[in-house]
Amino acid sequence: MLDALSPSAEDYPLSAPPGWLQPLMSMICIYSIILPHGAIRLSAGGLVFGLFFYLQFWTADRGVNGYATGTGCASIVLRWLDLLVMHRPETEFWSVEEIKQDGSHVKVQAKVPFDRWAKLKWFGSLWIASRGVGWNIQSSQLPPPVAKDYPKDRWLFRTIVRTFSMYLGYDLTSNILLHIVREGPFLAHPIAWQVFYAWTKAFRAYYSFESSYFALAIMSVATGICQPHQWPPLTGSFGRDAYTVRRMWGRCWHQCMRRPSGEAGRVVKETFRLKDGTYLSRYSQICIGFLVSALSHHAGATVGCFEDGGAWQFTYFMLQPAGIMLEDLAIYIGKKCGLRPDGLTRRFGFLWTILWFSWTLRFMVAYQPNTWVTSYSAPSIIGYVMRRSIG
C-alpha cells in the first residue's frame, strides 16, 4: 500500500513536472496572507506540501527543467516555512525606502496596507524578493545597486551588453560540453578531465543565472515596473572577494538561499541555546545552512533523475563547511605566527579557493543526467559559426 504512494520510474514512466505546479504553489502561499493569522492561514500549507509530495514521487524529468522545478518548489516550501510559519509578516517584515529629507537620506518604513488587495500586492512583493531587496531582511552581503539617480537608458544599455556577453559565455560552454566525450562513470575519468568538465559546467551555470536574471531586469525596467536600483547584481566580484571559500559563498554567489539557510541555523542555535560567538554556535549554523541548501538541491536531483540519486551532489554541499573550518584554522594559525592580510596572502587565498572547488565541484556534476548537455537547444551563434567554418 505504501509503495503505491511513491511509485518509481521502474514501475512505469513518470510524467514530467507540469508547468503550472510551481506557479500554483507560489500563488497558494501568496494568497494565504489574506486569511486570518493562525491555524486557518497555516492550513494552506497542506496544499503546498501535497503538491510538493506529488512533485517528488509522481514526476520525473531527466532534462534541466526537472531539476529546476524540483529545487524551485523546494525553495517555495522553505519560504513558506520562513515567512508564514516561523514569522508573522504583518509585524515582522516591512519595505524600506530611502528618501531625501532636510538634506540627508532617511529610511522610511512602509506600513502594511489594511485593504485586502493592497495587502496581497504588498506580500506578493515580499514573496518574490528572495534576497530581501528593499525590505528590512535584505542581506548586507549583497553587491550594491546603482544610485537612484542613475540614468535609466545608460543602465539599460550596459545591462543589455552584459546580458549578451553572458549569453555568449553560456553558448560557448554549452558547445564545449557538447564536444567532450563522456563514456563510463564520471569519477573513473582522469582527474584533469573531471576538473575541466566540472569548471566548464560551473561557468555554464553562472552564465545561465546571470543572463536569466538580467533579462528579467531589463524587461521590468524597460516597462517601468521597476527602477534600476531595485536590481542589484546577482553575484559579487569574484576577482575581489573570492579569496576564501567562506567569502566565495557569502559574497560572490547569488545569495538566494541565504535567508532560509540563515533562519534554519538561527532556529537550531536558539533551540539548543547555543551562546553567540562560540565555535559550536558559529559552525553549527554553517553546517545547518549548507544542509538546508543540500536538501533543497536534492529535491531537484530526485525529480531530475540523477544517476546516483543525488548522493554525490549532497556530498558536495556538506563538504563546504569542512572547507570553511579548514581555512579558518589556517587563518588562525597564520595570525598566531604574525602573518597579516596583504597581497601575497590573498593570492594564496585565491589559489586555495580554486583548488578547493576544483576538487569538490566534480562531485556536484558527477552524476547529472547527460541529457543536460545533449539537449541544448537554444539558438547558438557559436554553433552556427562552427558549422559555417567546417562547411
Side-chain angles (χ1 to χ4, degrees):
M1 179 179 177
L2 292 177
D3 291 342
L5 295 176
S6 56
S8 62
E10 287 73 24
D11 297 325
Y12 49 82
L14 299 178
S15 60
W20 49 260
L21 184 62
Q22 191 170 343
L24 178 60
M25 289 178 65
S26 289
M27 292 305 295
I28 291 172
C29 293
I30 293 172
Y31 271 86
S32 67
I33 194 65
I34 62 178
L35 298 175
H37 175 71
I40 296 178
R41 180 182 291 177
L42 295 180
S43 65
L47 293 173
V48 174
F49 277 99
L51 291 170
F52 186 69
F53 179 88
Y54 162 71
L55 169 76
Q56 287 292 293
F57 297 106
W58 289 79
T59 67
D61 183 2
R62 292 184 179 276
V64 179
N65 180 65
Y67 183 79
T69 303
T71 54
C73 289
S75 297
I76 290 173
V77 172
L78 291 172
R79 194 147 183 80
W80 179 80
L81 290 170
D82 175 20
L83 300 186
L84 294 165
V85 177
M86 297 164 58
H87 299 279
R88 184 172 183 175
E90 293 92 335
T91 58
E92 298 184 59
F93 305 119
W94 54 84
S95 58
V96 179
E97 184 179 1
E98 193 174 86
I99 63 173
K100 197 167 185 179
Q101 190 177 58
D102 298 330
S104 61
H105 290 278
V106 180
K107 289 188 176 181
V108 179
Q109 300 176 2
K111 296 182 179 180
V112 181
F114 288 104
D115 179 75
R116 174 178 294 184
W117 297 113
K119 183 178 181 180
L120 186 64
K121 180 181 178 182
W122 170 85
F123 186 66
S125 298
L126 171 63
W127 181 265
I128 64 176
S130 61
R131 300 190 298 168
V133 176
W135 293 81
N136 63 311
I137 54 174
Q138 179 173 328
S139 170
S140 61
Q141 308 297 330
L142 292 184
V146 297
K148 281 191 174 183
D149 57 353
Y150 195 87
K152 181 178 176 180
D153 55 348
R154 184 186 302 176
W155 183 90
L156 283 170
F157 175 77
R158 291 182 60 183
T159 307
I160 289 171
V161 171
R162 179 175 176 80
T163 304
F164 182 70
S165 67
M166 292 296 106
Y167 157 72
L168 289 179
Y170 179 78
D171 190 20
L172 175 62
T173 50
S174 295
N175 277 279
I176 290 174
L177 291 169
L178 278 171
H179 291 84
I180 296 179
V181 178
R182 177 178 173 179
E183 297 178 352
F186 180 91
L187 297 177
H189 284 79
I191 187 68
W193 183 94
Q194 294 179 41
V195 170
F196 177 76
Y197 190 93
W199 274 112
T200 304
K201 273 212 163 183
F203 276 105
R204 186 196 191 202
Y206 164 71
Y207 294 135
S208 176
F209 293 155
E210 287 276 302
S211 56
S212 299
Y213 176 79
F214 282 113
L216 289 173
I218 290 167
M219 286 189 291
S220 67
V221 173
T223 55
I225 298 174
C226 298
Q227 296 301 313
H229 71 270
Q230 295 175 295
W231 288 88
L234 181 63
T235 55
S237 172
F238 294 91
R240 183 179 64 246
D241 291 323
Y243 55 86
T244 66
V245 175
R246 181 192 291 273
R247 293 178 70 90
M248 177 71 174
W249 284 108
R251 291 180 177 270
C252 298
W253 204 228
H254 54 66
Q255 308 302 301
C256 291
M257 288 297 297
R258 176 179 282 274
R259 174 72 189 180
S261 297
E263 283 297 288
R266 180 187 63 81
V267 169
V268 169
K269 184 194 74 171
E270 293 180 356
T271 300
F272 292 96
R273 298 181 179 179
L274 302 178
K275 188 177 180 181
D276 288 339
T278 62
Y279 289 113
L280 184 59
S281 172
R282 185 186 311 160
Y283 292 116
S284 65
Q285 290 183 71
I286 291 175
C287 290
I288 293 298
F290 275 104
L291 176 61
V292 168
S293 187
L295 290 172
S296 176
H297 287 81
H298 190 73
T302 302
V303 180
C305 304
F306 275 37
E307 298 170 20
D308 66 337
W312 277 104
Q313 177 188 252
F314 197 92
T315 301
Y316 164 75
F317 282 104
M318 296 316 298
L319 278 172
Q320 303 310 310
I324 292 173
M325 287 188 278
L326 184 61
E327 70 185 13
D328 283 352
L329 176 61
I331 292 171
Y332 173 79
I333 294 174
K335 287 181 177 178
K336 286 294 183 181
C337 294
L339 289 178
R340 293 291 179 267
D342 57 21
L344 181 60
T345 56
R346 289 199 175 191
R347 282 193 286 272
F348 273 113
F350 281 112
L351 178 60
W352 146 252
T353 304
I354 291 171
L355 291 175
W356 172 259
F357 283 103
S358 294
W359 180 57
T360 61
L361 275 171
R362 301 176 300 127
F363 308 140
M364 178 70 180
V365 307
Y367 291 98
Q368 292 175 352
N370 199 41
T371 52
W372 287 25
V373 174
T374 58
S375 62
Y376 175 55
S377 58
S380 175
I381 294 177
I382 293 175
Y384 173 78
V385 171
M386 291 175 62
R387 288 191 297 272
R388 293 281 295 181
S389 299
I390 294 174

